[in-house]
Amino acid sequence: VSRTDIERCAMAGGAPILCFDVGVEGAAEKRLARDKGVEVVSDKVIYRLGDRLGGLLDENLPKRRVLEVVGTASVEKVFQLNTRGKSTAAGCRVSSGALLADGWFRVMRDGQEVPMPRRAGGPDGTEALTTTFGKATSLRVHKETVSRVNSGGECGLVLALAGVQPGDVIECFRLAEKTELAALPGDVLVEARSG
């Protein structure tokens, strides 16, 4: 790595230099790289340089906040929780991944998102807001409150969404921050942020 390489990277905002099986020419160039804030990474193993490059990209690419699917469950039965019929619990069987008590949930019916009225919580019981995502107000296994139910497990789930029906599929998501390259097709964009 020459003095010219270091100066060009310094002009480019301190871009790092990755080199395979070569190093910095001399002590003066090492000092210049340190003074200019240019990181020089040299390795004799190419895949380690690839990993380092991936890490640098991950640090510098714009970040996106996404809802990442962590599990799905099928609604077996729906139960009314009070006499007014305004609160229901979905009796579910987790079919993949896990349901998380602190996760975000979406209801799917026949492969389509189901817009659900969100309970406004007013004394008149009005449902003023329609949404496709909601939070759980309760996740239980045999009347015990739990934080997670894994694949194959059965649970009772009360969502802050109204209108769940037997046969619906409930998807559970968690909030994650990913780079543009790491986002998966099933992820749901929440907010884009620059790195």
Side-chain angles (χ1 to χ4, degrees), residues 20 79 101 105 118 132 136 139 146 148 151 159 164 169 181 185:
F20 177 61
F79 303 93
F105 295 88
R118 184 183 298 180
T132 55
L139 179 62
V146 295
R148 174 187 190 101
S151 182
L159 296 174
V164 178
V169 173
L181 293 177

Side-chain angles (χ1 to χ4, degrees), residues 83 94 189:
T83 56
V94 182
L189 177 65

Side-chain angles (χ1 to χ4, degrees), residues 6-90:
I6 294 167
E7 288 172 346
R8 285 184 180 162
C9 287
M11 287 189 307
I17 299 173
L18 301 176
C19 18
F20 177 61
D21 203 19
V22 294
V24 180
E25 285 181 352
E29 285 78 10
K30 287 180 183 177
R31 228 179 353 267
L32 177 64
R34 186 181 57 245
D35 293 345
K36 297 277 188 179
V38 174
E39 180 183 10
V40 179
V41 179
S42 178
D43 206 312
K44 293 181 183 206
V45 181
I46 193 74
Y47 73 84
R48 286 196 296 232
L49 283 175
D51 290 345
R52 180 68 178 121
L53 178 61
L56 289 169
L57 287 173
D58 195 44
E59 291 170 13
N60 294 304
L61 285 174
K63 303 286 190 269
R64 299 185 332 161
R65 291 179 66 196
V66 296
L67 289 173
E68 175 180 65
V69 178
V70 292
T72 60
S74 59
V75 177
E76 305 289 324
K77 193 167 183 180
V78 176
F79 303 93
Q80 298 295 51
L81 295 181
N82 61 29
T83 56
R84 294 187 186 133
K86 294 181 184 173
S87 187
T88 57

Side-chain angles (χ1 to χ4, degrees), residues 124-142:
D124 59 354
T126 58
E127 297 173 341
L129 185 63
T130 300
T131 185
T132 55
F133 289 95
K135 297 290 277 178
T137 57
S138 175
L139 179 62
R140 295 182 182 209
V141 174
H142 302 295

